[in-house]
Amino acid sequence: MQVEIVALMASPIHAFEGRPSDGPRPDPEPPGRASVEVRAGLGVVGDRYFGHPAHRRASVTLIAVESLEAVAAELGVPAFDPVLARRTVVLRGADVDGLAGEFTLGGVRFRAHRPANPCAWMDQALAPGAFRALRRRGGIRCAPLTSGVLRLGPTTLDRGE
């Protein structure tokens, strides 16, 4: 199926540490990318979760931009910059929350493992109420099974069905 990668994110730091009321830590460089290099079993090169054993099954996160747009509309706020959700890949045109098992995105094979549940930081990063509004549509956490490069723009998603 044809989809579009509308945002890619890789950050060497975890911006959401401490109390949400204190605000996120500033990134040393802008986290949005035009492309990201994905390595099998390790994650995204340059990302804070790259190669960390505790995150191997969740080193890459995906979310549907439609979920972010729906939340913004429900909360009555302008559309969010999709990078603010801090998911590795933001897609348009796919039911990301419905992905299960293995799938291929832009030539890179992944295995979906579990939901990427939102945290209380979403109320600070996006808008008050976003944490609750993103429940059951916060995306998925997955592990890369093959290596490759993902780029902004049109690509394909093969669910392997």
Side-chain angles (χ1 to χ4, degrees):
M1 103 177 11
Q2 286 296 123
V3 296
E4 179 185 6
I5 297 177
V6 298
L8 292 164
M9 200 278 298
S11 175
I13 67 157
H14 194 297
F16 299 151
E17 289 184 345
R19 295 185 178 123
S21 60
D22 295 336
R25 290 176 27 188
D27 277 299
E29 57 188 66
R33 304 278 189 265
S35 66
V36 293
E37 181 183 351
V38 180
R39 293 219 186 125
L42 297 172
V44 173
V45 174
D47 191 68
R48 64 203 175 281
Y49 296 127
F50 182 77
H52 287 255
H55 294 282
R56 291 233 170 104
R57 293 172 51 105
S59 62
V60 177
T61 55
L62 284 79
I63 193 169
V65 73
E66 292 89 348
S67 294
L68 297 172
E69 291 168 346
V71 166
E74 289 168 18
L75 298 176
V77 298
F80 312 119
D81 175 350
V83 173
L84 294 177
R86 298 193 69 86
R87 299 296 190 249
T88 314
V89 180
V90 182
L91 285 182
R92 180 177 298 285
D95 176 16
V96 171
D97 295 294
L99 290 173
E102 292 185 14
F103 63 93
T104 302
L105 175 64
V108 180
R109 191 98 181 130
F110 294 93
R111 176 180 300 281
H113 285 287
R114 59 187 165 93
N117 295 319
C119 65
W121 278 95
M122 294 299 99
D123 285 352
Q124 294 293 322
L126 301 177
F131 167 54
R132 184 166 290 198
L134 277 169
R135 289 183 184 162
R136 291 175 300 284
R137 55 183 170 185
I140 60 164
R141 297 183 182 279
C142 53
L145 303 176
T146 62
S147 298
V149 175
L150 297 176
R151 291 178 175 78
L152 294 178
T155 193
T156 57
L157 173 68
D158 177 9
R159 296 176 184 235
E161 300 169 330

